[in-house]
Amino acid sequence: MAESPSKSMDKIMALCKRRGFVFQASEIYGGINGFWDYGPLGAQLKRNLREAWWRDVVMNPCGGLAGPDGRPVQIVPLDTCIIQHPQVWVASGHAETFNDPMVDCRETKARYRFDHVEVFVPAEGTGGDKPLFAFVSGTPSEQKQRRKAEKAWGSVKVVPLTSVPREQWPRVLAPEAEKVGSLTEPRAFNLMFKTYVGATATEDDVAYLRPETAQGMFVQFKNVLDSSRIKVPFGIAQVGKAFRNEVTPRNFTFRSREFEQMEIEFFCHPEHAFDWYRFWRDWRLGWWKSIGLGSDSLQLREQTQDELAHYAKDGAGTSDIEYRFPFTAPGFGEIEGVAHRADFDLSTHQKHSKTKLEYFDAERGELLPNGSHKGERYVPHVIEPSAGLDRGVLALLCEAYTEDASRASPELLLLHPRLAPIKVAVFPLVNKDGMPETSEKLYREVAEEFSTHGFVEHDVKAAIGKRYARMDEAGCPFCCTIDGQTAQDQTVTVRDRDTGAQERIALDRVVAYLRPKLGL
Ligand code: ATP
């Protein structure tokens, strides 16, 4: 199938709106920057991704694969509150360090994340006194500044603002600014949304919307241990909303202010932490591939020492699983981080809450004459695979988006059948000769089987080619059509979205035929 070498984000966003995948939040009021709603198809696609993760991580961890200790991987679920005790964020370091350095523009009052600002500079040296044109990639400022820079300098190149020496900052022209030199020195800015708990709303009542789901799992570590028979090594997993007051939300849903995370905190003995780190890093990469993210647009990248978050200790590793989005290409953007957090979180909560968060491992320690072990008490180390649900959905949509001028639907979504929001469509070829009645019957049977996993559609209107095209554009993998032959031999055609090929299948075998193809 012909696929365009570079996909257009504008076209993907237009399709998302047209077919009800993603809408701007509060659109009729002009929208609200950094917030997105999911339409009918998007809501189901997102749910399918969340459920696939839940099933493969929590209910059937790693598909039954043994961990590095040779035993089945154990994970238990949890669902904790968005608002936690404010001390949680002091202990976690978010209150202190969850700050991205920012630069403000004194002229336009816009605020930018320091590491997001790039600058067009002359390709040959930065001499002269003409302006250096700052922009944020993926925003309208990029094209505007490029035009101005090329007019001023001829040939230009891009460098990060972080690498522009301070003595040259008076020459930097900020996006949308008229005068050079309007950017302030970088300063810290807290990304947590602040709110008040209770009616009085004094400074004593301040609370924060969680910037990650992770902390709830550390804070409940002891309750989970005490209330179940689970033993280290094991993981806690949860899915839920997180909020970050991002300074420059952009690139569609990629950087939003409200988003959903799918996180695992995996607790293990410190000696085994690196084995588990490698295990999770590799298994998570394979998982994304298994649900349809092509291998050449997906990569694993070990973070450099400079990028490591505040919890990373010497030698601790963090890998990002990255996807080549149309707006990052030829570069990549993170969809999941797999971090070796050592004992940072449990130790800090132990210290701040004055509650012991150690584990007593009866199977370790000195061997006693009676054949049992003396036991060992330790604070487990943690491996954290932390994935973004919204970024996952966006990657799936970008990967699935395909242009093919030779088809009735020149734009279509080749979504993995397991994730597709519409699983199956059932049509009568024409709306007469008993065909609608037969298709209605088949539709009910198919819907009964598959509707917990997505929509099953029944459409009797329009020319058949048009109905197929509509389904292709929405990513529906299979269409079943009742035609003139059905009444004679009790078969229907099943059309495969990817190839357009049609097969005749007995009416009473349609469900059994589709089930494995839908990955159910
Ligand atoms: P970035 O460097 O892109 O800001 P991060 O490294 O801060 O991301 P983490 O704190 O590791 O992100 O969060 C884990 C996952 O949560 C990310 O891999 C991403 O998928 C998702 N995520 C983080 N911030 C956002 C956001 N603003 N919008 C959507 N998803 C996000």
Side-chain angles (χ1 to χ4, degrees):
M1 177 164 298
E3 194 177 321
S4 58
S6 64
K7 302 186 187 187
S8 147
M9 208 51 219
D10 287 345
K11 286 187 180 172
I12 294 173
M13 286 169 73
L15 188 150
C16 282
K17 176 160 188 207
R18 190 166 71 240
R19 296 309 306 267
F21 282 95
V22 182
F23 304 134
Q24 200 181 6
S26 310
E27 192 187 286
I28 61 168
Y29 289 99
I32 168 162
N33 197 10
F35 296 88
W36 298 92
D37 292 337
Y38 288 83
L41 292 186
Q44 186 61 39
L45 172 61
K46 187 173 175 185
R47 184 187 163 114
N48 287 348
L49 179 56
R50 193 193 290 117
E51 301 258 305
W53 183 89
W54 190 261
R55 183 167 182 278
D56 297 348
V57 165
V58 187
M59 291 300 138
N60 181 23
C62 310
L65 188 70
D69 57 353
R71 298 187 201 165
V73 178
Q74 301 183 83
I75 308 272
V76 291
L78 198 66
D79 187 348
T80 67
C81 285
I82 285 171
I83 293 185
Q84 299 280 336
H85 193 291
Q87 279 301 312
V88 168
W89 311 114
V90 174
S92 69
H94 287 90
E96 272 289 308
T97 55
F98 198 54
N99 298 304
D100 284 318
M102 300 295 161
V103 288
D104 287 324
C105 174
R106 294 186 199 89
E107 185 183 323
T108 64
K109 308 292 175 222
R111 177 172 280 169
Y112 306 99
R113 224 170 100 169
F114 184 30
D115 63 343
H116 283 174
V117 183
E118 295 176 273
V119 189
F120 288 114
V121 298
E124 304 292 326
T126 53
D129 53 4
K130 289 184 202 154
L132 306 173
F133 296 84
F135 67 98
V136 177
S137 97
T139 67
S141 67
E142 182 171 359
Q143 288 317 318
K144 278 194 209 161
Q145 295 290 70
R146 175 186 290 280
R147 277 194 297 276
K148 288 192 212 160
E150 283 173 352
K151 209 166 153 203
W153 295 103
S155 123
V156 294
K157 65 177 182 186
V158 172
V159 298
L161 179 63
T162 50
S163 73
V164 175
R166 284 303 144 82
E167 60 272 18
Q168 292 191 17
W169 278 41
R171 286 170 59 203
V172 172
L173 183 70
E176 313 295 341
E178 305 264 313
K179 295 199 187 103
V180 292
S182 60
L183 291 178
T184 62
E185 280 290 305
R187 29 181 191 226
F189 178 81
N190 198 298
L191 290 181
M192 283 196 291
F193 279 98
K194 198 173 175 181
T195 187
Y196 299 90
V197 173
T200 48
T202 69
E203 280 311 292
D204 291 341
D205 307 316
V206 165
Y208 298 94
L209 304 192
R210 67 181 175 201
E212 58 174 38
T213 63
Q215 297 305 320
M217 297 184 266
F218 298 124
V219 171
Q220 292 294 4
F221 171 72
K222 192 169 154 27
N223 275 335
V224 170
L225 262 188
D226 293 349
S227 61
S228 58
R229 298 176 62 205
I230 201 113
K231 293 192 168 87
V232 170
F234 76 99
I236 304 182
Q238 83 167 325
V239 184
K241 290 268 186 174
F243 301 81
R244 295 183 190 175
N245 199 359
E246 297 278 1
V247 178
T248 30
R250 63 197 162 121
N251 292 331
F252 204 17
T253 57
F254 181 84
R255 188 170 301 287
S256 321
R257 290 179 164 141
E258 172 175 342
F259 55 97
E260 209 165 324
Q261 292 183 312
M262 311 185 286
E263 294 196 298
I264 308 168
E265 304 304 335
F266 195 84
F267 303 93
C268 60
H269 189 277
E271 274 173 18
H272 303 142
F274 264 103
D275 294 339
W276 281 106
Y277 167 66
R278 278 188 288 267
F279 171 82
W280 280 111
R281 184 192 64 187
D282 298 344
W283 187 74
R284 293 300 304 146
L285 180 73
W287 186 81
W288 286 109
K289 286 185 187 165
S290 78
I291 57 164
L293 292 189
S295 42
D296 71 330
S297 45
L298 199 67
Q299 74 171 19
L300 190 80
R301 189 178 67 90
E302 291 274 345
Q303 281 192 5
T304 59
Q305 278 299 319
D306 295 357
E307 290 174 281
L308 288 178
H310 59 84
Y311 52 76
K313 291 194 169 176
D314 286 345
T318 294
S319 300
D320 289 343
I321 298 173
E322 301 181 323
Y323 178 74
R324 195 196 295 115
F325 290 94
F327 48 82
T328 57
F332 290 74
E334 172 183 336
I335 56 171
E336 174 162 351
V338 182
H340 179 333
R341 295 174 74 119
D343 64 350
F344 175 84
D345 304 274
L346 289 179
S347 294
T348 188
H349 285 301
Q350 181 164 270
K351 191 168 130 222
H352 283 80
S353 66
K354 303 191 175 56
T355 304
K356 283 251 171 283
L357 297 176
E358 292 171 340
Y359 176 70
F360 180 72
D361 195 334
E363 288 172 24
R364 293 185 65 92
E366 198 184 311
L367 194 60
L368 300 174
N370 66 5
S372 64
H373 288 266
K374 192 170 169 206
E376 184 187 335
R377 202 171 285 284
Y378 58 88
V379 177
H381 277 200
V382 169
I383 308 304
E384 177 191 78
S386 167
L389 177 55
D390 306 81
R391 284 193 191 170
V393 168
L394 185 58
L396 289 171
L397 283 167
C398 292
E399 181 74 10
Y401 179 84
T402 305
E403 287 185 273
D404 186 346
S406 70
R407 300 198 29 157
S409 155
E411 290 174 273
L412 64 158
L413 293 179
L414 301 180
L415 285 167
H416 190 288
R418 194 176 169 201
L419 280 306
I422 307 178
K423 295 290 177 219
V424 185
V426 181
F427 305 140
L429 180 63
V430 287
N431 199 8
K432 57 181 185 191
D433 303 337
M435 290 183 210
E437 291 75 13
T438 314
S439 73
E440 170 83 26
K441 194 161 163 273
L442 179 65
Y443 157 69
R444 296 215 169 281
E445 195 188 320
V446 175
E448 176 82 6
E449 287 296 320
F450 301 131
S451 58
T452 45
H453 305 283
F455 296 98
V456 176
E457 301 259 306
H458 188 222
D459 189 357
V460 299
K461 295 205 192 89
I464 192 72
K466 257 201 176 147
R467 281 180 274 167
Y468 286 149
R470 248 188 95 66
M471 286 300 142
D472 287 350
E473 197 189 49
C476 169
F478 298 102
C479 295
C480 306
T481 305
I482 309 291
D483 56 16
Q485 204 179 315
T486 309
Q488 294 158 21
D489 64 3
Q490 303 297 302
T491 63
V492 291
T493 64
V494 178
R495 174 182 174 276
D496 180 304
R497 171 200 65 199
D498 297 1
T499 59
Q502 306 194 3
E503 244 185 284
R504 287 209 82 86
I505 304 292
L507 265 177
D508 59 2
R509 279 198 51 241
V510 170
V511 165
Y513 172 84
L514 289 175
R515 184 181 296 285
K517 292 190 180 282
L518 290 170
L520 301 173

